[in-house]
Amino acid sequence: MAKSLDSLVSFNGGEVSPKLDARVDSAKYRSMMRQCQNMIPYKSGGLTRRPGSQYIASAKYAAASGHDYGVRLVPFTFSPETTFMLEFGNTYIRFYESGAQVSLTLADVDFWLSSYAYVPGDYVKHSSVIYYCIAAVSSAIPPFYNTEPALDTTHWKAQTVLEQPTPYNADSGASGPQPGSTWDTDIWNLAFCQINDVIYITSPSYPVYSLTRYSNTHWVMKQVNFLTPALLDQNATNTQITASAVQGNGITLTVTAPAWVTANYYTVGNSVEVSGVVYTCMVPNVSGAAFNNDLSAGYWEQTDVFNSLHVGSTWQLAYLRASAYIETTGSAAGGFTNGTSASIQALGNWEVHTYGVWSSDIAIQRSLDGGQTWDTVRSVTGRSDRNVDITGTAVQLGLYRIVVTNSTGLVAPGATNPRIVFECVDSFLYGLVKITAVASATSATANVVTQLAGTGPTEYWSEAAWSDYRGYPQAITSYQQRVIYASSEYEPQRIWGTVTNDIENFALGDQTKATDSFAFDLNAPSRGPIQWLIAQTDLFAGFSGAEWVINSGSTNTNGQSSGASITATSINAVEHSSW
């Protein structure tokens, strides 16, 4: 006897595969649809007609000989009352709001000024006409530096439509940069993460960009300059990098390694330098009479640290401290002596501890100009009645010292001698450099982003995780007050999380704080690269052939994920489905 079904009263199962036809045993069968055309199902079960469309404006580029331009519409929702539609096209974004294309009025832009540098995306007004900058204008491009926009069609275009330039291509024509289907162009490889008035944009072929709304007629598109960038794992070989200066632009980075020595025993991770070329040990061996023999035997592999595609990437150089603390001591009878301690460089977390019996005023002072001027970041007072434990964070490299004033002599028989200790939690000092040119595999030119701790060789260096050489992340989402990125060409199954509540900072810290950034790989063999991220109670990562669930690993009394925060030391990732 055929099984009868009650009336179909819910449609929230959505469209399903024809392979599920007649699967009346499925609990979702009564809410499934074979086809849902021009209708939208509600979560509550009902259906509504698909809204109609309305012509607002034409896209910027029309079809042209040899060109086929694609356009992608991306929603921007700041609040239910403030919404936009963004038109991503061939190297541009245009904006729509309240059923109209956003345009500028003369009151929205500044007057054109001669001898002033302009960049693409700038708007000016001159002789009651609004002009859009289509090519950079500076003193390096005479005579246009002082040419009125109306007479300089190379750099200016009369235009009132609001627009921002982008690096993304959408031309798939036969003569375009990406011939083929418009679905193969850059705009369809973009992923978006909106946080309030900012959208972060990722692409596997470009650095991370942000689009910021300052007002309805003022938007800025720019490359994100992370406070600390995402980094590859720290160098694990003997290869060292030496910087020619601790600050400034145009410094030289030089790669060196110990000279190869006949009859030495080498193990995996050892590096040697032979005739100016650096090699890394691949197979443990005792060096022979001729290096070329060992090289031919596969014991060694040439290591090219720098590549021309590293230009624009930011690297970290770390230096081991000679000492991680400074202190001021006194005596039980006399207490502290008024004065100032030696200074110490600090970056990151620091602690101050006091011991014994003391009666003084204590100040922790900081200098950001090499000791020329000092300001007090913490002060403590005690009158034979307390000891303190203080913590703080140096967000930029600076000098710190202890200053003691108003000290009173004490007589405390048997008491511990008073002491103040300022201690840096991390035994390393870190600096960042941005590579501007590459001369060879062992030499590059760079600008110092944050001051280096020395000019000696260091083997504690980390290459940028994202660059033209390594690729860029292709997935992004916001989760638990972090921005999460995933999957570069070089690390296709890696997840990166920013510092909590500091979404443009990948500082690793000492990996003990819950707020430290994190980076880890999913062990998903044969699943390919991560293609998308979705944040709900847990974090979901999608491959072409599987979905993974990422959380802290903690569960509630029902055995379900507790929703506790992911940290550098509390991460759990499992495959949920391979359908």
Side-chain angles (χ1 to χ4, degrees), residues 396-433:
Q396 62 185 110
L397 185 65
L399 293 174
Y400 285 74
R401 68 184 185 183
I402 305 166
V403 178
V404 177
T405 56
N406 300 320
S407 184
T408 302
L410 301 172
V411 178
T416 302
N417 288 341
R419 186 162 64 104
I420 311 166
V421 179
F422 178 101
E423 183 176 9
C424 298
V425 174
D426 198 328
S427 58
F428 286 90
L429 286 169
Y430 301 92
L432 297 173
V433 295

Side-chain angles (χ1 to χ4, degrees), residues 101-169:
Q101 191 172 53
V102 178
S103 295
L104 299 171
T105 66
L106 290 172
D108 294 320
V109 298
D110 295 324
F111 286 99
W112 172 78
L113 299 174
S114 63
S115 303
Y116 188 84
Y118 291 98
V119 297
D122 286 342
Y123 283 86
V124 298
K125 58 187 174 186
H126 185 67
S127 299
S128 299
V129 178
I130 295 175
Y131 294 92
Y132 174 71
C133 182
I134 57 177
V137 183
S138 70
S139 58
I141 316 175
F144 300 109
Y145 200 42
N146 296 302
T147 304
E148 296 177 3
L151 302 176
D152 179 11
T153 57
T154 301
H155 300 91
W156 297 99
K157 176 184 178 182
Q159 176 177 308
T160 59
V161 174
L162 181 62
E163 183 177 323
Q164 274 289 296
T166 78
Y168 312 123
N169 172 261

Side-chain angles (χ1 to χ4, degrees), residues 58-64 69-71 87 89-92 94 157 163:
S58 298
K60 179 179 180 179
Y61 294 114
Y69 296 106
V71 169
E87 174 191 325
N90 188 47
T91 68
Y92 75 90
R94 288 186 170 183
K157 176 184 178 182
E163 183 177 323

